[in-house]
Amino acid sequence: MKSVRNAFSAAVMLAACGLLGATPPVYGADSLPVGQLNVSADTLTHEQATQRYTASGNVRLTWDGLTLTSRTAEFDPKGDRAVAEGDVLLTKNGEQLRGDRLSIDLNSGNGDVSNGELHVDKNNLYVRGAKLAKVGDSEYRVDRGSITTCDGDSPSWKFTASSIDLRLDTYGTATNALFYIKDLPVLYLPYLVFPTVRDRQSGFLIPQAGNSSVKGLHVSIPFYWAVSPSQDVTLEPEYMSKRGFGMGLDYRYMRKLGSEGIFRGYGMFDTVDRQFRGEIQERHLERFSDTLIFKSDIHYLSDKDYYRDFSSTSGEYNLQKTESTVSMTKYWSRYSLTGNTTYIQDLQAPDNTATLQTLPSVVFSGMKQQLWRLPLYVSADSSFVNFYREQGLNGQRVSLHPQLTLYLGSQGAFQFYGWGGYQQRFYNTYGDSASAGRFNLGLADAGAQMSASFDRIYDLHVGSLQKLRHQLVPEVSYLYVQNNDQDRLPFFDYDDRIVGQDTITYGLSNYLVGRFDQDGQAFYRTLLYLRVSQRYSPSGIRKDYLNPVPETGTFGTVRVEARSNPLPHASLFLDSRYDPYHFGLSTLSTGGDFKDDSGNHVGASYYFARNDVEYLEGRLGLALIRPFSFDFMARYSMDKRALLESNYVLEYKHQCWSVNLSYQDRPGNKEFLVNFTLAGVGVKGPVRAF
């Protein structure tokens, strides 16, 4: 009854106000618009003399996208000023400003709060201070404050400072900063710059430190520069106690029409070898139009031992060569023209003077075009290659290769096509008197393939597996390449020694595809792919350059290829060749992986080539004991009975920080690294297009 009487009294007094031209006190107002403000409170009064409003009890003011709540508040709409006290909370666009007392300009939204705390949802940033002032749109100034991205009154880490200035869409600065782990001060910085959003921002990243038998103690402090929305640069100076100083550069960019690129480089003066060492990697894609594309892929090392000493990537330390290419391609509806330049850096040779380079090559291709309305299609490939090296045979090769294809298409479950062609090569060589001159040779080639497809669907309804499709694809193909004597031709690459063929290949492929229904939605998974094939040649099987073990006899190896996904998170693979003459495997590559949604994974691979290589690779990742995770990888040579490489990584992840400890052991180098990360500080974001 009391609230009803207060509301009735307020209505009568407001009516009297309209007659007398005066504004009386208002009691028990639930919501009341005052100018641009919308005010609600348990009690709202207005003083005629000062034109000030006073609200108390569950006060809520909203205006211009801002919301202010407190116990009490006084405001003057004409003076555009408000003062709130008691459990003050000011919110706007994911920013929350709390404090004991707030004085704010209602037009600009600027003001100051005592014993304040600012929380930004976007990156979980907390800023606390004895006095916290909002001085602009998402701009704040703090006296005797602290910053952290950790939750709780006692954060795991924080920076305290005598003064803090921050802009929430760019970066913040702090003067006389002290870094705390819990309540223990560990580092003093006279001046600190830090990013204040998770988007790409310029600033120093978290330092990295480690120790290795080659570098010694090494420390790097990366600096990240967000040049524009589509470009960024990372500079990474590094100190190595055994090798001196180095500098890394990483530049990424994106352009219109899908053009993009990346440049990476590292340089140092090696105090042990007394020489400059480093590497350059560059990739660029330029789309001038949908039909004109430029590509470059550059990789160059200062010396052949650079990766052996400084590589941190698995398998890089025994790299045999680097390859750099630059190409331009023009497309038409039925033709394409590609110009390509390739430079090879041989990391096993004493120097690069005898390494063969392709400077340049030009390839012109004509797509298959139908002749009249017959099932005949004509196509042609032609190429020009200029071979160059400082020492040894140089020259040019021109190749012309027209083809005619008969395609009968699908006749029910059967498919058939056949083709025939002639490849003519011309050479002009110089630089080696024994092989210099002009040569030419032509080879005829032909082939055919026939296949069929049979399938059947089984209704199973076993758990979520509802249907199973079994597809059986038998196929047979024939390849003929004229076996002409090519020993008189110069030898630049394997295209100069085209292997004669008179070979029949037969195979059988099996597909098992399951349809699963889960939560009313259907999805498909290949449970098994299995293919068995073999080659037969009356004149003897010719060398297959993809097979490291030579084949002999009229029957080739029996090849078994298989892939399986028996479970959503499990995969298996197999690629093996069985030699019917030696009654044993000539090559074998097999393995599998399993991972779950919690971050655990396990995998193993085995590689074998008779009389060549045999090694085992294992992978393990454990995330069973949160917040710890462990990763392990090792490669073991079974023929050499030695460990080729092993990597161990232990990571501890907290809500607002993480530490990564890694150890790498490989021939000639043992390295230990420490990587410490503070959430929301020093994070690089992806490049985005214009």
Side-chain angles (χ1 to χ4, degrees):
M1 293 296 295
K2 182 178 180 180
S3 61
V4 174
R5 287 194 300 270
N6 285 344
F8 177 76
S9 174
V12 172
M13 298 182 76
L14 283 172
C17 169
L19 296 173
L20 301 175
T23 304
V26 178
Y27 303 94
D30 293 328
S31 180
L32 180 67
V34 181
Q36 296 181 348
L37 287 172
N38 191 294
V39 185
S40 65
D42 293 340
T43 302
L44 178 65
T45 63
H46 176 237
E47 296 182 6
Q48 178 68 27
T50 61
Q51 292 295 311
R52 293 185 64 82
Y53 287 84
T54 301
S56 61
N58 298 313
V59 179
R60 180 182 179 88
L61 282 70
T62 58
W63 77 101
D64 195 26
L66 285 88
T67 300
L68 172 64
T69 62
S70 63
R71 293 179 185 175
T72 64
E74 293 184 359
F75 55 94
D76 177 5
K78 293 184 177 180
D80 299 326
R81 196 74 185 174
V83 177
E85 295 185 355
D87 298 329
V88 176
L89 173 61
L90 178 67
T91 61
K92 181 182 180 181
N93 298 332
E95 302 171 19
Q96 298 97 41
L97 182 60
R98 303 175 185 272
D100 295 338
R101 183 180 186 277
L102 170 67
S103 176
I104 187 169
D105 186 305
L106 298 177
N107 283 330
S108 65
N110 296 339
D112 57 79
V113 61
S114 58
N115 295 324
E117 176 188 278
L118 171 68
H119 180 239
V120 183
D121 292 340
K122 192 172 185 179
N123 59 353
N124 202 44
L125 178 67
Y126 291 92
V127 182
R128 301 179 175 94
K131 182 180 179 181
L132 201 154
K134 188 174 186 297
V135 296
D137 187 20
S138 296
E139 292 186 56
Y140 296 86
R141 182 169 298 134
V142 186
D143 292 336
R144 303 189 306 279
S146 67
I147 56 173
T148 184
T149 56
C150 300
D151 295 332
D153 295 331
S154 180
S156 298
W157 67 265
K158 66 180 178 181
F159 283 99
T160 65
S162 59
S163 64
I164 301 172
D165 291 285
L166 68 156
R167 182 181 178 89
L168 296 183
D169 55 356
T170 55
Y171 60 90
T173 61
T175 305
N176 295 321
L178 193 58
F179 179 63
Y180 280 81
I181 297 180
K182 280 296 185 179
D183 296 324
L184 179 65
V186 295
L187 179 65
Y188 170 78
L189 297 170
Y191 190 73
L192 174 67
V193 180
F194 57 93
T196 54
V197 293
R198 287 193 181 274
D199 294 334
R200 302 163 54 251
Q201 299 297 330
S202 302
F204 284 98
L205 306 179
I206 301 300
Q208 296 180 339
N211 187 46
S212 73
S213 54
V214 172
K215 294 181 179 180
L217 177 66
H218 55 98
V219 180
S220 64
I221 305 177
F223 178 80
Y224 178 74
W225 178 23
V227 181
S228 71
S230 58
Q231 301 178 79
D232 60 33
V233 176
T234 301
L235 296 172
E236 188 170 358
E238 182 181 26
Y239 167 74
M240 297 165 285
S241 62
K242 291 184 177 181
R243 298 284 182 164
F245 288 91
M247 174 63 75
L249 171 66
D250 190 336
Y251 173 53
R252 306 183 301 168
Y253 56 92
M254 296 185 70
R255 293 166 44 78
K256 297 179 180 179
L257 301 176
S259 301
E260 61 182 352
I262 184 170
F263 176 86
R264 289 178 177 149
Y266 183 85
M268 58 170 292
F269 183 79
D270 193 339
T271 56
V272 174
D273 291 349
R274 306 299 299 174
Q275 64 174 333
F276 179 84
R277 307 181 70 182
E279 73 168 315
I280 292 175
Q281 294 187 62
E282 182 268 354
R283 291 182 181 177
H284 178 71
L285 169 65
E286 185 70 34
R287 296 183 182 273
F288 296 102
S289 67
D290 292 338
T291 61
L292 184 61
I293 297 175
F294 172 84
K295 292 182 180 180
S296 63
D297 189 345
I298 308 298
H299 191 190
Y300 184 79
L301 304 179
S302 60
D303 57 272
K304 62 187 183 68
D305 296 325
Y306 177 80
Y307 269 165
R308 187 195 65 185
D309 293 339
F310 300 111
S311 172
S312 58
T313 304
S314 176
E316 258 185 359
Y317 69 91
N318 56 1
L319 192 67
Q320 297 181 357
K321 67 177 182 178
T322 66
E323 185 172 314
S324 300
T325 61
V326 177
S327 67
M328 179 81 80
T329 302
K330 173 64 178 178
Y331 295 98
W332 293 273
S333 59
R334 296 180 178 180
Y335 306 96
S336 67
L337 178 65
T338 299
N340 185 82
T341 297
T342 302
Y343 181 81
I344 304 294
Q345 184 181 16
D346 192 338
L347 302 180
Q348 294 184 314
D351 55 53
N352 222 43
T353 57
T355 303
L356 188 67
Q357 313 296 347
T358 303
L359 304 171
S361 67
V362 179
V363 177
F364 181 77
S365 297
M367 315 302 177
K368 287 185 174 65
Q369 300 180 42
Q370 190 173 13
L371 294 177
W372 303 285
R373 294 186 177 181
L374 300 174
L376 292 175
Y377 298 82
V378 63
S379 61
D381 292 323
S382 58
S383 65
F384 166 83
V385 185
N386 179 62
F387 297 104
Y388 170 79
R389 54 189 154 199
E390 295 182 39
Q391 297 180 2
L393 185 68
N394 293 276
Q396 296 83 36
R397 180 182 67 209
V398 175
S399 176
L400 305 175
H401 192 189
Q403 285 185 339
L404 184 66
T405 301
L406 170 66
Y407 181 67
L408 298 181
S410 299
Q411 303 295 326
F414 296 91
Q415 289 186 337
F416 174 83
Y417 73 89
W419 56 271
Y422 190 82
Q423 183 173 3
Q424 180 70 49
R425 288 169 291 166
F426 302 91
Y427 294 87
N428 176 46
T429 60
Y430 50 89
D432 184 347
S433 58
S435 303
R438 296 184 178 182
F439 310 87
N440 69 87
L441 182 67
L443 296 175
D445 51 20
Q449 179 171 314
M450 182 174 62
S451 64
S453 178
F454 308 95
D455 64 305
R456 183 174 180 180
I457 298 177
Y458 301 89
D459 290 320
L460 296 181
H461 303 288
V462 178
S464 60
L465 178 60
Q466 302 299 302
K467 296 179 182 293
L468 182 67
R469 179 188 180 188
H470 179 210
Q471 184 180 19
L472 196 65
V473 182
E475 59 182 331
V476 59
S477 62
Y478 174 72
L479 176 62
Y480 169 79
V481 178
Q482 184 179 357
N483 189 18
N484 206 339
D485 182 17
Q486 302 173 69
D487 291 340
R488 63 186 180 88
L489 296 179
F491 181 78
F492 293 111
D493 57 26
Y494 287 114
D495 288 338
D496 298 318
R497 297 294 183 268
I498 299 175
V499 179
Q501 299 279 347
D502 184 16
T503 304
I504 298 174
T505 302
Y506 41 89
L508 180 64
S509 299
N510 286 265
Y511 299 86
L512 286 176
V513 180
R515 170 179 167 162
F516 299 82
D517 289 345
Q518 188 172 2
D519 299 329
Q521 294 185 344
F523 61 93
Y524 298 86
R525 187 170 74 247
T526 301
L527 300 176
L528 177 66
Y529 163 75
L530 175 65
R531 185 176 189 269
V532 181
S533 61
Q534 188 181 30
R535 295 189 299 165
Y536 169 75
S537 178
S539 60
I541 297 296
R542 301 292 178 171
K543 180 175 176 59
D544 180 358
Y545 293 110
L546 298 178
N547 183 7
V549 179
E551 300 183 49
T552 59
T554 57
F555 287 93
T557 58
V558 178
R559 186 177 183 182
V560 179
E561 304 167 81
R563 296 188 303 273
S564 176
N565 294 98
L567 298 172
H569 300 294
S571 62
L572 303 169
F573 73 90
L574 171 71
D575 190 346
S576 65
R577 299 173 188 258
Y578 179 83
D579 190 336
Y581 296 98
H582 291 84
F583 299 102
L585 289 172
S586 59
T587 66
L588 174 62
S589 173
T590 185
D593 288 278
F594 175 81
K595 59 182 179 180
D596 61 19
D597 295 330
S598 300
N600 301 295
H601 63 89
V602 61
S605 304
Y606 174 74
Y607 302 93
F608 166 78
R610 189 176 65 231
N611 302 324
D612 187 25
V613 67
E614 182 180 11
Y615 74 88
L616 179 68
E617 179 178 310
R619 302 170 295 276
L620 176 65
L622 298 175
L624 300 175
I625 306 175
R626 297 291 185 181
F628 291 94
S629 64
F630 174 75
D631 286 280
F632 168 76
M633 187 282 291
R635 293 191 298 144
Y636 179 78
S637 174
M638 303 182 72
D639 54 331
K640 297 179 180 179
R641 298 185 181 276
L643 194 66
L644 299 176
E645 183 178 15
S646 61
N647 291 278
Y648 308 82
V649 179
L650 178 64
E651 184 173 25
Y652 174 82
K653 285 187 177 180
H654 191 269
Q655 175 261 328
C656 57
W657 63 276
S658 66
V659 60
N660 184 296
L661 308 176
S662 63
Y663 176 74
Q664 182 182 75
D665 186 357
R666 68 176 191 226
N669 188 30
K670 294 178 173 58
E671 185 170 26
F672 177 75
L673 288 172
V674 179
N675 189 6
F676 185 70
T677 302
L678 303 179
V681 178
V683 178
K684 287 194 296 184
V687 175
R688 63 178 184 271
F690 288 92

